[in-house]
Amino acid sequence: MITSTNKAHTLGDWASLAIQKHFEKFLKHEANVLKDKHPEDLHQMRVGMRRLRSAITGFAPTIDLPKSAQEKKIGSIARTLGELRDLDVLREALEKKYQPTLPGKEKKSLDKVLTQLDKKRTQAFAQVKTTLEGDTYQSLKQSLTKWLKQPTYNRIAQMPIQEVLPDLLSPQVSQLLLHPGWLVGTEVKDGEIHILEDLSPAMVEQQLADDGHLLHSLRKEAKRTRYQMEVFNDFYGETYNTYLEEVKRIQSILGQIQDSFILSEFMTDSLRSEMKNHLPNLANQLTGANYQSWQEWQSIHQRYLNPETRTNFRAMILQPNAGI
């Protein structure tokens, strides 16, 4: 098996390198996740599994994996880790960012919510432990370990990487650019798309209430695009890196909005009523945070609705650097 990018020339070589890299990453953190001492281990293991899933999806025409190592299996395990990770992110935000800013009465209400959150986290961790000690996860590890020792490929894997790289990346870039989330907060006039400007915080909240799920889906598409682009960073130049950084920014900004949504939803469920009825200061802070994130989103949103940006993005993917 190829173990160095310097010796990787074919599509199959790069497929096995990517799978090995992300497989080793999540294995590295498994033991500490089961000890449940540091949230960062859970985060890194989850990222490793998501990247592995993206690699397997991106290289699907190339690789011949056993059923126990299919991307759906990985996705199911990653979602279990994700449920626990979301609770960790939620607690950190509530405890460190918001609780110190609240008046005494609201702090007491928040303490009750944190107690419920801890109970829910205990249940989520038990599920993670059961999953990582279960047959599906163990079979996944065994299958990938065996496959990496002697990878099996489809015939297209013999193609030189540079000849097929645009074909590999273009479908994912197209998925990103065609996502309906780009039309959230816009209107179409005379066949042209215009961003709705000068929205008030209340109007932004309504946009997010109506179409926040589309922005969350767009964020996930940006994440998949980022992961795949990062694999092939060495084959492109400065323009590629610029687009990659923008895709990361899209993921980050929409992630901030999603985090606020998760927090608000959890608070409403825990309090069994609108958050503003019990925690008005916290509700106002979340509205303000969403409004700020929306303002950040406007500039990059406008850029990616520009036909020239989209055309240049597609064109850049078609031209890997020569001589690598």
Side-chain angles (χ1 to χ4, degrees):
M1 177 190 156
I2 297 293
T3 58
S4 168
T5 56
N6 294 330
K7 297 179 180 179
H9 302 293
T10 68
L11 192 54
D13 293 340
W14 280 87
S16 61
L17 277 174
I19 291 171
Q20 181 183 35
K21 177 182 178 181
H22 303 313
F23 179 51
E24 290 177 350
K25 179 181 177 65
F26 81 70
L27 283 183
K28 177 182 176 182
H29 297 279
E30 177 190 318
N32 283 336
V33 167
L34 287 170
K35 292 176 183 176
D36 196 26
K37 289 186 176 180
H38 302 291
E40 184 62 20
D41 288 304
L42 173 67
H43 173 57
Q44 292 300 327
M45 185 174 185
R46 182 192 185 194
V47 169
M49 294 204 79
R50 283 184 163 182
R51 287 177 180 263
L52 175 65
R53 187 185 184 191
S54 294
I56 288 174
T57 301
F59 285 108
T62 309
I63 53 181
D64 180 20
L65 287 175
K67 287 186 178 180
S68 55
Q70 299 286 324
E71 61 92 15
K72 288 184 179 179
K73 301 284 186 181
I74 299 168
S76 177
I77 296 167
R79 279 190 293 275
T80 301
L81 297 179
E83 290 172 7
L84 181 59
R85 173 61 182 170
D86 286 345
L87 293 174
D88 285 343
V89 171
L90 183 57
R91 189 177 224 297
E92 183 177 14
L94 288 173
E95 193 172 39
K96 296 183 179 180
K97 183 177 180 180
Y98 294 110
Q99 192 175 44
T101 69
L102 299 178
K105 185 178 180 180
E106 288 193 34
K107 284 183 178 180
K108 290 181 180 180
S109 296
L110 186 56
D111 284 339
K112 294 177 182 178
V113 173
L114 290 172
T115 298
Q116 293 183 50
L117 191 154
D118 288 341
K119 291 179 181 178
K120 191 167 184 178
R121 191 194 184 282
T122 298
Q123 296 171 350
F125 174 72
Q127 185 58 51
V128 166
K129 191 172 187 295
T130 298
T131 298
L132 296 186
E133 293 175 348
D135 292 341
T136 299
Y137 179 72
Q138 296 301 321
S139 295
L140 168 67
K141 289 198 301 181
Q142 293 167 10
S143 296
L144 282 177
T145 299
K146 183 177 179 181
W147 187 87
L148 285 167
K149 288 180 179 177
Q150 193 170 357
T152 51
Y153 304 107
N154 298 321
R155 294 185 69 177
I156 197 69
Q158 303 172 61
M159 294 285 288
I161 183 66
Q162 284 191 285
E163 292 184 14
V164 293
L165 189 50
D167 302 310
L168 200 64
L169 284 171
S170 292
Q172 182 56 55
V173 171
S174 295
Q175 286 285 102
L176 175 65
L177 296 179
L178 286 171
H179 197 283
W182 292 110
L183 296 183
V184 175
T186 68
E187 59 181 356
V188 180
K189 289 184 178 180
D190 300 324
E192 293 186 358
I193 300 171
H194 300 275
I195 288 180
L196 297 174
E197 298 179 342
D198 301 323
L199 297 182
S200 67
M203 294 169 71
V204 169
E205 287 298 297
Q206 190 59 55
Q207 287 284 325
L208 296 179
D210 293 342
D211 293 320
H213 64 287
L214 288 175
L215 292 180
H216 178 47
S217 179
L218 178 58
R219 176 205 180 191
K220 291 194 288 186
E221 204 64 66
K223 185 180 294 185
R224 284 189 282 268
T225 305
R226 168 193 172 183
Y227 288 168
Q228 194 165 2
M229 288 180 70
E230 285 178 340
V231 173
F232 304 111
N233 214 19
D234 292 342
F235 287 89
Y236 291 90
E238 187 176 340
T239 302
Y240 186 89
N241 286 322
T242 297
Y243 276 100
L244 176 56
E245 288 302 315
E246 288 183 342
V247 170
K248 289 181 184 179
R249 186 174 171 227
I250 292 167
Q251 178 191 337
S252 176
I253 295 171
L254 297 183
Q256 294 168 15
I257 294 173
Q258 176 63 14
D259 287 346
S260 290
F261 175 80
I262 292 173
L263 193 155
S264 180
E265 188 177 56
F266 183 84
M267 298 296 287
T268 299
D269 289 345
S270 298
L271 297 167
R272 297 183 180 180
S273 71
E274 291 288 330
M275 183 170 52
K276 62 184 178 182
N277 295 332
H278 298 271
L279 295 157
N281 283 278
L282 179 55
N284 287 336
Q285 287 187 56
L286 289 181
T287 297
N290 281 338
Y291 189 68
Q292 182 177 347
S293 295
W294 184 268
Q295 299 307 309
E296 292 180 43
W297 170 239
Q298 293 298 284
S299 62
I300 198 163
H301 189 191
Q302 182 69 66
R303 173 165 159 73
Y304 275 79
L305 287 178
N306 185 327
E308 184 178 356
T309 299
R310 300 161 73 87
T311 298
N312 290 341
F313 197 173
R314 289 189 291 263
M316 176 270 300
I317 291 295
L318 299 178
Q319 299 173 9
N321 291 336
I324 295 180

